[in-house]
Short mmCIF file of all heavy atoms in Angstrom, two decimals:
data_model
loop_
_atom_site.label_atom_id
_atom_site.label_comp_id
_atom_site.label_asym_id
_atom_site.label_seq_id
_atom_site.Cartn_x
_atom_site.Cartn_y
_atom_site.Cartn_z
N ALA P 177 98.92 -74.99 133.55
CA ALA P 177 98.91 -74.33 132.26
C ALA P 177 98.15 -73.02 132.35
O ALA P 177 97.25 -72.87 133.16
CB ALA P 177 98.29 -75.22 131.22
N ASP P 178 98.49 -72.08 131.48
CA ASP P 178 97.83 -70.79 131.52
C ASP P 178 96.43 -70.86 130.90
O ASP P 178 96.07 -71.83 130.26
CB ASP P 178 98.68 -69.72 130.86
CG ASP P 178 98.96 -69.99 129.39
OD1 ASP P 178 98.14 -70.68 128.75
OD2 ASP P 178 99.99 -69.53 128.89
N ASP P 179 95.65 -69.81 131.11
CA ASP P 179 94.27 -69.79 130.61
C ASP P 179 94.20 -69.91 129.10
O ASP P 179 93.31 -70.55 128.57
CB ASP P 179 93.58 -68.49 131.04
CG ASP P 179 93.32 -68.46 132.55
OD1 ASP P 179 93.24 -69.54 133.15
OD2 ASP P 179 93.22 -67.36 133.10
N GLN P 180 95.15 -69.31 128.38
CA GLN P 180 95.14 -69.35 126.92
C GLN P 180 95.32 -70.77 126.41
O GLN P 180 94.62 -71.21 125.51
CB GLN P 180 96.22 -68.44 126.37
CG GLN P 180 96.16 -68.30 124.87
CD GLN P 180 97.19 -67.33 124.35
OE1 GLN P 180 98.20 -67.06 124.99
NE2 GLN P 180 96.94 -66.80 123.17
N SER P 181 96.25 -71.54 126.98
CA SER P 181 96.48 -72.90 126.50
C SER P 181 95.31 -73.81 126.86
O SER P 181 95.02 -74.77 126.16
CB SER P 181 97.79 -73.46 127.04
OG SER P 181 97.74 -73.59 128.45
N ARG P 182 94.61 -73.54 127.95
CA ARG P 182 93.46 -74.36 128.35
C ARG P 182 92.31 -74.25 127.34
O ARG P 182 91.50 -75.16 127.24
CB ARG P 182 92.99 -74.00 129.74
CG ARG P 182 93.94 -74.46 130.80
CD ARG P 182 93.20 -74.66 132.10
NE ARG P 182 94.09 -75.18 133.11
CZ ARG P 182 94.37 -76.46 133.28
NH1 ARG P 182 93.82 -77.36 132.51
NH2 ARG P 182 95.18 -76.86 134.22
N GLY P 183 92.22 -73.17 126.59
CA GLY P 183 91.20 -73.03 125.57
C GLY P 183 91.56 -73.70 124.26
O GLY P 183 90.76 -73.79 123.35
N ASN P 184 92.76 -74.21 124.16
CA ASN P 184 93.27 -74.86 122.96
C ASN P 184 92.83 -76.32 122.93
O ASN P 184 93.15 -77.08 123.83
CB ASN P 184 94.80 -74.74 122.99
CG ASN P 184 95.47 -75.37 121.79
OD1 ASN P 184 94.88 -76.17 121.08
ND2 ASN P 184 96.72 -75.03 121.59
N PRO P 185 92.07 -76.75 121.89
CA PRO P 185 91.62 -78.14 121.82
C PRO P 185 92.77 -79.15 121.87
O PRO P 185 92.63 -80.22 122.46
CB PRO P 185 90.89 -78.23 120.48
CG PRO P 185 90.55 -76.83 120.14
CD PRO P 185 91.60 -75.96 120.77
N ALA P 186 93.91 -78.82 121.27
CA ALA P 186 95.06 -79.73 121.31
C ALA P 186 95.55 -79.92 122.74
O ALA P 186 95.93 -81.02 123.14
CB ALA P 186 96.19 -79.21 120.42
N PHE P 187 95.53 -78.86 123.52
CA PHE P 187 95.95 -78.97 124.92
C PHE P 187 95.01 -79.89 125.68
O PHE P 187 95.44 -80.69 126.50
CB PHE P 187 96.01 -77.60 125.58
CG PHE P 187 96.47 -77.69 127.01
CD1 PHE P 187 97.82 -77.78 127.30
CD2 PHE P 187 95.56 -77.72 128.04
CE1 PHE P 187 98.25 -77.90 128.62
CE2 PHE P 187 95.97 -77.83 129.35
CZ PHE P 187 97.31 -77.92 129.64
N LYS P 188 93.73 -79.80 125.40
CA LYS P 188 92.76 -80.66 126.09
C LYS P 188 93.00 -82.13 125.75
O LYS P 188 92.90 -82.98 126.63
CB LYS P 188 91.34 -80.23 125.74
CG LYS P 188 90.99 -78.89 126.34
CD LYS P 188 89.61 -78.44 125.96
CE LYS P 188 89.37 -77.05 126.54
NZ LYS P 188 88.06 -76.54 126.22
N ILE P 189 93.31 -82.43 124.50
CA ILE P 189 93.63 -83.81 124.12
C ILE P 189 94.86 -84.27 124.89
O ILE P 189 94.88 -85.35 125.45
CB ILE P 189 93.84 -83.93 122.60
CG1 ILE P 189 92.52 -83.72 121.87
CG2 ILE P 189 94.45 -85.30 122.25
CD1 ILE P 189 92.66 -83.60 120.37
N HIS P 190 95.87 -83.42 124.93
CA HIS P 190 97.10 -83.75 125.67
C HIS P 190 96.80 -84.00 127.14
O HIS P 190 97.33 -84.92 127.74
CB HIS P 190 98.11 -82.61 125.51
CG HIS P 190 98.99 -82.42 126.69
ND1 HIS P 190 100.05 -83.25 126.95
CD2 HIS P 190 98.95 -81.53 127.69
CE1 HIS P 190 100.63 -82.86 128.08
NE2 HIS P 190 99.98 -81.81 128.53
N GLU P 191 95.95 -83.18 127.71
CA GLU P 191 95.62 -83.29 129.13
C GLU P 191 94.86 -84.58 129.42
O GLU P 191 95.11 -85.26 130.41
CB GLU P 191 94.80 -82.07 129.54
CG GLU P 191 94.79 -81.78 131.01
CD GLU P 191 94.12 -80.44 131.28
OE1 GLU P 191 92.98 -80.22 130.79
OE2 GLU P 191 94.73 -79.63 131.96
N LEU P 192 93.93 -84.95 128.54
CA LEU P 192 93.13 -86.16 128.73
C LEU P 192 93.89 -87.44 128.41
O LEU P 192 93.63 -88.48 129.01
CB LEU P 192 91.88 -86.10 127.85
CG LEU P 192 90.84 -85.07 128.24
CD1 LEU P 192 89.77 -84.96 127.16
CD2 LEU P 192 90.21 -85.42 129.58
N TYR P 193 94.81 -87.38 127.45
CA TYR P 193 95.50 -88.58 126.96
C TYR P 193 97.00 -88.35 126.90
O TYR P 193 97.57 -88.18 125.83
CB TYR P 193 94.99 -88.98 125.58
CG TYR P 193 93.49 -89.13 125.54
CD1 TYR P 193 92.69 -88.17 124.95
CD2 TYR P 193 92.88 -90.23 126.14
CE1 TYR P 193 91.32 -88.30 124.94
CE2 TYR P 193 91.51 -90.36 126.13
CZ TYR P 193 90.73 -89.39 125.53
OH TYR P 193 89.37 -89.53 125.53
N PRO P 194 97.69 -88.35 128.05
CA PRO P 194 99.14 -88.13 128.03
C PRO P 194 99.92 -89.31 127.46
O PRO P 194 101.10 -89.18 127.15
CB PRO P 194 99.48 -87.88 129.50
CG PRO P 194 98.40 -88.58 130.25
CD PRO P 194 97.17 -88.48 129.40
N VAL P 195 99.27 -90.45 127.29
CA VAL P 195 99.92 -91.65 126.76
C VAL P 195 99.32 -91.98 125.40
O VAL P 195 98.09 -92.06 125.25
CB VAL P 195 99.75 -92.85 127.73
CG1 VAL P 195 100.37 -94.10 127.18
CG2 VAL P 195 100.35 -92.50 129.08
N GLU P 196 100.17 -92.17 124.41
CA GLU P 196 99.72 -92.43 123.03
C GLU P 196 98.76 -93.61 122.96
O GLU P 196 97.73 -93.55 122.28
CB GLU P 196 100.92 -92.66 122.13
CG GLU P 196 100.54 -92.88 120.68
CD GLU P 196 101.73 -93.05 119.77
OE1 GLU P 196 102.85 -93.30 120.26
OE2 GLU P 196 101.55 -92.93 118.56
N LYS P 197 99.07 -94.69 123.64
CA LYS P 197 98.23 -95.90 123.58
C LYS P 197 96.80 -95.60 124.04
O LYS P 197 95.84 -96.06 123.42
CB LYS P 197 98.85 -96.99 124.45
CG LYS P 197 98.08 -98.28 124.45
CD LYS P 197 98.78 -99.32 125.32
CE LYS P 197 97.95 -100.58 125.40
NZ LYS P 197 98.58 -101.56 126.29
N CYS P 198 96.64 -94.81 125.08
CA CYS P 198 95.31 -94.46 125.58
C CYS P 198 94.54 -93.64 124.55
O CYS P 198 93.35 -93.88 124.31
CB CYS P 198 95.43 -93.68 126.89
SG CYS P 198 96.15 -94.60 128.24
N TYR P 199 95.22 -92.68 123.95
CA TYR P 199 94.59 -91.83 122.94
C TYR P 199 94.16 -92.67 121.73
O TYR P 199 93.03 -92.57 121.25
CB TYR P 199 95.55 -90.72 122.52
CG TYR P 199 95.03 -89.85 121.41
CD1 TYR P 199 93.97 -88.98 121.62
CD2 TYR P 199 95.60 -89.88 120.15
CE1 TYR P 199 93.49 -88.17 120.61
CE2 TYR P 199 95.13 -89.07 119.13
CZ TYR P 199 94.08 -88.22 119.37
OH TYR P 199 93.61 -87.42 118.36
N LEU P 200 95.06 -93.52 121.25
CA LEU P 200 94.75 -94.32 120.06
C LEU P 200 93.67 -95.36 120.35
O LEU P 200 92.87 -95.67 119.45
CB LEU P 200 96.02 -94.96 119.51
CG LEU P 200 97.03 -93.95 118.97
CD1 LEU P 200 98.27 -94.66 118.45
CD2 LEU P 200 96.43 -93.05 117.91
N ASN P 201 93.61 -95.89 121.56
CA ASN P 201 92.52 -96.80 121.92
C ASN P 201 91.17 -96.08 121.83
O ASN P 201 90.19 -96.64 121.32
CB ASN P 201 92.72 -97.37 123.32
CG ASN P 201 93.75 -98.46 123.36
OD1 ASN P 201 94.11 -99.05 122.35
ND2 ASN P 201 94.27 -98.72 124.55
N LYS P 202 91.12 -94.85 122.32
CA LYS P 202 89.89 -94.06 122.25
C LYS P 202 89.53 -93.75 120.80
O LYS P 202 88.36 -93.84 120.40
CB LYS P 202 90.05 -92.77 123.06
CG LYS P 202 88.80 -91.99 123.21
CD LYS P 202 87.82 -92.72 124.10
CE LYS P 202 86.71 -91.78 124.51
NZ LYS P 202 85.78 -92.41 125.43
N VAL P 203 90.52 -93.39 119.99
CA VAL P 203 90.30 -93.12 118.57
C VAL P 203 89.75 -94.38 117.89
O VAL P 203 88.77 -94.30 117.14
CB VAL P 203 91.60 -92.65 117.88
CG1 VAL P 203 91.46 -92.67 116.37
CG2 VAL P 203 91.98 -91.26 118.35
N ASN P 204 90.36 -95.51 118.14
CA ASN P 204 89.93 -96.75 117.50
C ASN P 204 88.50 -97.13 117.89
O ASN P 204 87.72 -97.60 117.05
CB ASN P 204 90.90 -97.88 117.81
CG ASN P 204 92.21 -97.72 117.07
OD1 ASN P 204 92.25 -97.11 116.00
ND2 ASN P 204 93.28 -98.21 117.66
N THR P 205 88.15 -96.93 119.15
CA THR P 205 86.78 -97.19 119.59
C THR P 205 85.80 -96.28 118.85
O THR P 205 84.76 -96.73 118.36
CB THR P 205 86.65 -96.99 121.11
OG1 THR P 205 87.51 -97.91 121.77
CG2 THR P 205 85.23 -97.18 121.59
N SER P 206 86.15 -95.02 118.74
CA SER P 206 85.30 -94.06 118.04
C SER P 206 85.18 -94.40 116.55
O SER P 206 84.09 -94.33 115.98
CB SER P 206 85.84 -92.64 118.20
OG SER P 206 85.80 -92.27 119.55
N LEU P 207 86.30 -94.79 115.94
CA LEU P 207 86.26 -95.16 114.52
C LEU P 207 85.37 -96.37 114.30
O LEU P 207 84.58 -96.41 113.34
CB LEU P 207 87.67 -95.44 114.01
CG LEU P 207 88.60 -94.23 113.91
CD1 LEU P 207 90.00 -94.68 113.53
CD2 LEU P 207 88.05 -93.21 112.94
N HIS P 208 85.47 -97.36 115.18
CA HIS P 208 84.62 -98.56 115.07
C HIS P 208 83.14 -98.16 115.14
O HIS P 208 82.33 -98.64 114.33
CB HIS P 208 84.97 -99.55 116.18
CG HIS P 208 84.05 -100.72 116.24
ND1 HIS P 208 84.13 -101.76 115.33
CD2 HIS P 208 83.03 -101.02 117.07
CE1 HIS P 208 83.18 -102.65 115.61
NE2 HIS P 208 82.51 -102.22 116.67
N ASN P 209 82.82 -97.28 116.08
CA ASN P 209 81.43 -96.83 116.21
C ASN P 209 80.97 -96.09 114.96
O ASN P 209 79.83 -96.27 114.51
CB ASN P 209 81.27 -95.94 117.44
CG ASN P 209 81.39 -96.72 118.73
OD1 ASN P 209 81.17 -97.93 118.77
ND2 ASN P 209 81.76 -96.03 119.80
N LEU P 210 81.81 -95.25 114.40
CA LEU P 210 81.45 -94.51 113.19
C LEU P 210 81.22 -95.44 112.00
O LEU P 210 80.30 -95.22 111.20
CB LEU P 210 82.53 -93.48 112.85
CG LEU P 210 82.62 -92.30 113.82
CD1 LEU P 210 83.89 -91.48 113.53
CD2 LEU P 210 81.38 -91.43 113.73
N VAL P 211 82.03 -96.48 111.89
CA VAL P 211 81.84 -97.47 110.82
C VAL P 211 80.51 -98.20 111.03
O VAL P 211 79.71 -98.36 110.09
CB VAL P 211 83.02 -98.46 110.75
CG1 VAL P 211 82.70 -99.64 109.84
CG2 VAL P 211 84.29 -97.75 110.29
N GLN P 212 80.25 -98.64 112.26
CA GLN P 212 79.02 -99.36 112.55
C GLN P 212 77.78 -98.52 112.28
O GLN P 212 76.75 -99.05 111.87
CB GLN P 212 79.02 -99.85 114.01
CG GLN P 212 80.05 -100.90 114.31
CD GLN P 212 79.84 -102.15 113.45
OE1 GLN P 212 78.73 -102.68 113.36
NE2 GLN P 212 80.90 -102.60 112.81
N GLN P 213 77.87 -97.23 112.50
CA GLN P 213 76.74 -96.33 112.30
C GLN P 213 76.63 -95.83 110.85
O GLN P 213 75.69 -95.13 110.51
CB GLN P 213 76.85 -95.12 113.24
CG GLN P 213 76.74 -95.51 114.69
CD GLN P 213 77.09 -94.35 115.62
OE1 GLN P 213 77.24 -93.21 115.20
NE2 GLN P 213 77.23 -94.66 116.90
N GLY P 214 77.59 -96.20 110.01
CA GLY P 214 77.54 -95.83 108.61
C GLY P 214 78.09 -94.45 108.28
O GLY P 214 77.88 -93.95 107.18
N PHE P 215 78.81 -93.83 109.24
CA PHE P 215 79.37 -92.50 109.01
C PHE P 215 80.78 -92.53 108.45
O PHE P 215 81.31 -91.50 108.04
CB PHE P 215 79.36 -91.68 110.30
CG PHE P 215 77.98 -91.35 110.78
CD1 PHE P 215 77.46 -91.94 111.92
CD2 PHE P 215 77.18 -90.45 110.08
CE1 PHE P 215 76.19 -91.64 112.36
CE2 PHE P 215 75.91 -90.15 110.51
CZ PHE P 215 75.41 -90.74 111.66
N LEU P 216 81.41 -93.69 108.45
CA LEU P 216 82.79 -93.83 107.98
C LEU P 216 82.93 -95.17 107.28
O LEU P 216 82.39 -96.18 107.75
CB LEU P 216 83.76 -93.76 109.18
CG LEU P 216 85.26 -93.80 108.88
CD1 LEU P 216 85.70 -92.54 108.14
CD2 LEU P 216 86.05 -93.95 110.18
N LEU P 217 83.64 -95.17 106.17
CA LEU P 217 83.89 -96.43 105.47
C LEU P 217 85.05 -97.16 106.13
O LEU P 217 86.03 -96.55 106.55
CB LEU P 217 84.25 -96.15 104.01
CG LEU P 217 83.16 -95.52 103.15
CD1 LEU P 217 83.72 -95.17 101.78
CD2 LEU P 217 81.96 -96.44 103.04
N GLU P 218 84.93 -98.47 106.21
CA GLU P 218 85.99 -99.30 106.80
C GLU P 218 87.33 -99.05 106.11
O GLU P 218 88.37 -99.01 106.75
CB GLU P 218 85.61 -100.78 106.69
CG GLU P 218 86.57 -101.72 107.37
CD GLU P 218 86.55 -101.62 108.88
OE1 GLU P 218 85.46 -101.50 109.46
OE2 GLU P 218 87.65 -101.67 109.49
N GLU P 219 87.30 -98.84 104.81
CA GLU P 219 88.53 -98.62 104.05
C GLU P 219 89.23 -97.30 104.41
O GLU P 219 90.41 -97.11 104.12
CB GLU P 219 88.25 -98.66 102.55
CG GLU P 219 87.33 -97.54 102.09
CD GLU P 219 86.71 -97.79 100.73
OE1 GLU P 219 86.28 -98.93 100.48
OE2 GLU P 219 86.66 -96.84 99.93
N ASP P 220 88.50 -96.37 105.05
CA ASP P 220 89.09 -95.10 105.45
C ASP P 220 89.70 -95.12 106.85
O ASP P 220 90.40 -94.19 107.24
CB ASP P 220 88.04 -93.98 105.37
CG ASP P 220 87.61 -93.71 103.94
OD1 ASP P 220 88.43 -93.94 103.02
OD2 ASP P 220 86.47 -93.26 103.74
N VAL P 221 89.44 -96.17 107.60
CA VAL P 221 89.92 -96.26 108.99
C VAL P 221 91.44 -96.14 109.10
O VAL P 221 91.94 -95.36 109.91
CB VAL P 221 89.40 -97.54 109.67
CG1 VAL P 221 90.09 -97.79 111.00
CG2 VAL P 221 87.88 -97.45 109.85
N PRO P 222 92.24 -96.86 108.30
CA PRO P 222 93.69 -96.74 108.45
C PRO P 222 94.22 -95.32 108.26
O PRO P 222 95.14 -94.89 108.98
CB PRO P 222 94.25 -97.69 107.38
CG PRO P 222 93.16 -98.69 107.17
CD PRO P 222 91.88 -97.91 107.33
N ALA P 223 93.65 -94.58 107.33
CA ALA P 223 94.11 -93.21 107.10
C ALA P 223 93.81 -92.32 108.31
O ALA P 223 94.64 -91.50 108.71
CB ALA P 223 93.46 -92.63 105.85
N VAL P 224 92.65 -92.50 108.92
CA VAL P 224 92.29 -91.71 110.09
C VAL P 224 93.15 -92.11 111.28
O VAL P 224 93.60 -91.27 112.06
CB VAL P 224 90.78 -91.84 110.42
CG1 VAL P 224 90.43 -91.05 111.66
CG2 VAL P 224 89.92 -91.40 109.24
N GLN P 225 93.43 -93.41 111.42
CA GLN P 225 94.31 -93.87 112.50
C GLN P 225 95.70 -93.26 112.37
O GLN P 225 96.29 -92.81 113.35
CB GLN P 225 94.42 -95.40 112.50
CG GLN P 225 93.16 -96.10 112.95
CD GLN P 225 93.21 -97.58 112.69
OE1 GLN P 225 93.72 -98.05 111.67
NE2 GLN P 225 92.66 -98.35 113.62
N GLU P 226 96.20 -93.25 111.16
CA GLU P 226 97.53 -92.68 110.90
C GLU P 226 97.55 -91.18 111.22
O GLU P 226 98.48 -90.67 111.84
CB GLU P 226 97.92 -92.92 109.45
CG GLU P 226 99.32 -92.48 109.11
CD GLU P 226 99.69 -92.80 107.68
OE1 GLU P 226 99.22 -93.82 107.13
OE2 GLU P 226 100.47 -92.01 107.09
N TYR P 227 96.50 -90.48 110.81
CA TYR P 227 96.40 -89.06 111.09
C TYR P 227 96.36 -88.81 112.60
O TYR P 227 97.04 -87.92 113.11
CB TYR P 227 95.17 -88.47 110.41
CG TYR P 227 95.00 -87.00 110.69
CD1 TYR P 227 95.72 -86.06 109.96
CD2 TYR P 227 94.14 -86.56 111.69
CE1 TYR P 227 95.58 -84.70 110.23
CE2 TYR P 227 94.01 -85.21 111.96
CZ TYR P 227 94.73 -84.29 111.24
OH TYR P 227 94.60 -82.96 111.50
N ALA P 228 95.55 -89.58 113.31
CA ALA P 228 95.41 -89.40 114.76
C ALA P 228 96.74 -89.67 115.47
O ALA P 228 97.11 -88.93 116.39
CB ALA P 228 94.32 -90.33 115.30
N ALA P 229 97.46 -90.70 115.06
CA ALA P 229 98.76 -91.01 115.67
C ALA P 229 99.74 -89.87 115.41
O ALA P 229 100.48 -89.46 116.30
CB ALA P 229 99.30 -92.32 115.12
N GLY P 230 99.74 -89.34 114.21
CA GLY P 230 100.62 -88.22 113.88
C GLY P 230 100.28 -86.97 114.68
O GLY P 230 101.17 -86.25 115.13
N LEU P 231 99.00 -86.72 114.87
CA LEU P 231 98.56 -85.57 115.66
C LEU P 231 99.03 -85.71 117.10
O LEU P 231 99.56 -84.77 117.69
CB LEU P 231 97.04 -85.45 115.61
CG LEU P 231 96.41 -84.34 116.45
CD1 LEU P 231 96.90 -82.97 115.98
CD2 LEU P 231 94.90 -84.42 116.37
N TRP P 232 98.85 -86.89 117.69
CA TRP P 232 99.29 -87.11 119.07
C TRP P 232 100.80 -86.89 119.20
O TRP P 232 101.25 -86.20 120.10
CB TRP P 232 98.91 -88.52 119.55
CG TRP P 232 99.14 -88.69 121.01
CD1 TRP P 232 98.25 -88.49 122.01
CD2 TRP P 232 100.38 -89.08 121.63
NE1 TRP P 232 98.86 -88.73 123.21
CE2 TRP P 232 100.16 -89.09 123.02
CE3 TRP P 232 101.64 -89.41 121.15
CZ2 TRP P 232 101.16 -89.42 123.91
CZ3 TRP P 232 102.63 -89.74 122.06
CH2 TRP P 232 102.38 -89.75 123.42
N ARG P 233 101.56 -87.45 118.27
CA ARG P 233 103.02 -87.30 118.33
C ARG P 233 103.43 -85.83 118.16
O ARG P 233 104.32 -85.35 118.85
CB ARG P 233 103.69 -88.16 117.27
CG ARG P 233 103.58 -89.63 117.59
CD ARG P 233 104.29 -90.50 116.57
NE ARG P 233 103.89 -91.88 116.75
CZ ARG P 233 103.21 -92.58 115.88
NH1 ARG P 233 102.88 -92.07 114.70
NH2 ARG P 233 102.86 -93.82 116.15
N TRP P 234 102.76 -85.12 117.26
CA TRP P 234 103.07 -83.71 117.06
C TRP P 234 102.82 -82.91 118.33
O TRP P 234 103.65 -82.10 118.72
CB TRP P 234 102.25 -83.14 115.90
CG TRP P 234 102.42 -81.66 115.77
CD1 TRP P 234 103.45 -81.01 115.15
CD2 TRP P 234 101.55 -80.66 116.30
NE1 TRP P 234 103.27 -79.65 115.27
CE2 TRP P 234 102.12 -79.41 115.97
CE3 TRP P 234 100.36 -80.70 117.01
CZ2 TRP P 234 101.52 -78.21 116.33
CZ3 TRP P 234 99.77 -79.51 117.37
CH2 TRP P 234 100.35 -78.29 117.03
N MET P 235 101.68 -83.17 118.97
CA MET P 235 101.37 -82.44 120.20
C MET P 235 102.42 -82.68 121.27
O MET P 235 102.83 -81.77 121.97
CB MET P 235 100.00 -82.85 120.73
CG MET P 235 98.86 -82.29 119.92
SD MET P 235 97.25 -82.63 120.67
CE MET P 235 97.22 -84.41 120.69
N HIS P 236 102.86 -83.90 121.40
CA HIS P 236 103.81 -84.24 122.45
C HIS P 236 105.24 -83.82 122.10
O HIS P 236 106.01 -83.49 122.98
CB HIS P 236 103.70 -85.71 122.81
CG HIS P 236 102.48 -85.98 123.63
ND1 HIS P 236 101.22 -85.91 123.11
CD2 HIS P 236 102.34 -86.25 124.94
CE1 HIS P 236 100.35 -86.15 124.06
NE2 HIS P 236 101.00 -86.36 125.18
N GLN P 237 105.58 -83.78 120.84
CA GLN P 237 106.89 -83.30 120.44
C GLN P 237 106.96 -81.78 120.50
O GLN P 237 108.04 -81.21 120.54
CB GLN P 237 107.24 -83.78 119.04
CG GLN P 237 107.52 -85.26 118.98
CD GLN P 237 107.68 -85.77 117.57
OE1 GLN P 237 107.47 -85.05 116.60
NE2 GLN P 237 108.03 -87.04 117.44
N SER P 238 105.79 -81.13 120.53
CA SER P 238 105.74 -79.67 120.59
C SER P 238 105.95 -79.16 122.01
O SER P 238 105.79 -77.99 122.27
CB SER P 238 104.39 -79.18 120.07
OG SER P 238 104.25 -79.49 118.70
N GLY P 239 106.26 -80.06 122.93
CA GLY P 239 106.54 -79.66 124.30
C GLY P 239 105.31 -79.45 125.16
O GLY P 239 105.37 -78.80 126.19
N MET P 240 104.19 -80.04 124.77
CA MET P 240 102.97 -79.88 125.56
C MET P 240 102.97 -80.77 126.80
O MET P 240 102.09 -80.66 127.62
CB MET P 240 101.74 -80.19 124.72
CG MET P 240 101.45 -79.16 123.69
SD MET P 240 99.87 -79.54 122.94
CE MET P 240 99.55 -78.00 122.15
N THR P 241 103.89 -81.70 126.90
CA THR P 241 103.88 -82.61 128.05
C THR P 241 105.28 -83.00 128.48
O THR P 241 106.19 -83.08 127.68
CB THR P 241 103.07 -83.88 127.74
OG1 THR P 241 103.04 -84.67 128.92
CG2 THR P 241 103.67 -84.70 126.63
N ASP P 242 105.41 -83.24 129.74
CA ASP P 242 106.61 -83.85 130.30
C ASP P 242 106.28 -85.23 130.82
O ASP P 242 107.13 -85.96 131.29
CB ASP P 242 107.17 -83.00 131.44
CG ASP P 242 107.68 -81.67 130.95
OD1 ASP P 242 108.24 -81.62 129.85
OD2 ASP P 242 107.49 -80.68 131.68
N ASN P 243 105.02 -85.62 130.76
CA ASN P 243 104.53 -86.84 131.40
C ASN P 243 104.21 -87.90 130.34
O ASN P 243 103.07 -88.23 130.11
CB ASN P 243 103.28 -86.52 132.24
CG ASN P 243 102.81 -87.69 133.03
OD1 ASN P 243 103.51 -88.68 133.16
ND2 ASN P 243 101.61 -87.59 133.56
N LYS P 244 105.22 -88.45 129.71
CA LYS P 244 105.01 -89.43 128.66
C LYS P 244 104.88 -90.85 129.20
O LYS P 244 104.52 -91.75 128.47
CB LYS P 244 106.16 -89.37 127.65
CG LYS P 244 106.18 -88.07 126.91
CD LYS P 244 107.30 -88.02 125.93
CE LYS P 244 107.33 -86.66 125.26
NZ LYS P 244 108.46 -86.48 124.40
N GLN P 245 105.14 -91.05 130.48
CA GLN P 245 105.11 -92.39 131.04
C GLN P 245 103.83 -92.69 131.82
O GLN P 245 103.64 -93.81 132.24
CB GLN P 245 106.33 -92.58 131.98
CG GLN P 245 107.66 -92.39 131.29
CD GLN P 245 107.86 -93.35 130.13
OE1 GLN P 245 107.52 -94.52 130.24
NE2 GLN P 245 108.39 -92.88 129.03
N ALA P 246 102.97 -91.71 132.02
CA ALA P 246 101.76 -91.93 132.81
C ALA P 246 100.83 -92.91 132.10
O ALA P 246 100.81 -92.98 130.88
CB ALA P 246 101.03 -90.61 133.03
N GLU P 247 100.08 -93.64 132.85
CA GLU P 247 99.12 -94.58 132.29
C GLU P 247 97.71 -94.12 132.64
O GLU P 247 97.46 -93.62 133.72
CB GLU P 247 99.34 -96.00 132.86
CG GLU P 247 100.55 -96.68 132.29
CD GLU P 247 100.42 -97.01 130.81
OE1 GLU P 247 99.29 -97.21 130.33
OE2 GLU P 247 101.46 -97.07 130.15
N HIS P 248 96.77 -94.33 131.72
CA HIS P 248 95.36 -94.05 131.98
C HIS P 248 94.64 -95.36 132.10
O HIS P 248 94.80 -96.25 131.39
CB HIS P 248 94.76 -93.26 130.81
CG HIS P 248 94.85 -91.80 131.02
ND1 HIS P 248 93.86 -91.08 131.61
CD2 HIS P 248 95.83 -90.93 130.74
CE1 HIS P 248 94.20 -89.82 131.66
NE2 HIS P 248 95.40 -89.70 131.14
#
C-alpha cells in the first residue's frame, strides 16, 4: 500500500484484521472490558457491535482487501 493509505486508520484496521470474525472478537473483548470498568452500559453493547460489524464490512467492500479468507 502507498504511504497515504498507511496513515489512514481504516487501512490499519483492515491490515490488522483481514477477517471479520477476528475483528469482531477483538471488539467484543474491548466492549466487555469497557462494561466491566464502567465506561459503557451493557445495554449499549449491541449497538456498538452492530456499528463495528458495519464498519468492517464497509472497509472490505470498499476494495481495501483481496484477502478475505485469511485467518488470524
Side-chain angles (χ1 to χ4, degrees):
D178 61 27
D179 291 335
Q180 187 176 22
S181 65
R182 288 205 177 274
N184 180 343
F187 181 81
K188 291 178 183 180
I189 291 171
H190 148 77
E191 201 172 51
L192 291 171
Y193 307 105
V195 177
E196 182 177 16
K197 181 179 176 183
C198 296
Y199 176 69
L200 294 180
N201 283 342
K202 188 68 166 183
V203 167
N204 288 332
T205 298
S206 296
L207 292 174
H208 173 75
N209 290 337
L210 290 170
V211 169
Q212 293 300 311
Q213 295 170 11
F215 293 110
L216 184 67
L217 296 174
E218 185 69 41
E219 64 197 43
D220 293 332
V221 169
V224 179
Q225 289 169 321
E226 185 177 328
Y227 178 81
L231 177 62
W232 189 92
R233 290 182 193 115
W234 173 81
M235 286 187 299
H236 285 70
Q237 289 172 354
S238 295
M240 290 187 164
T241 183
D242 293 323
N243 186 13
K244 294 180 183 174
Q245 301 301 318
E247 286 293 332
H248 268 268

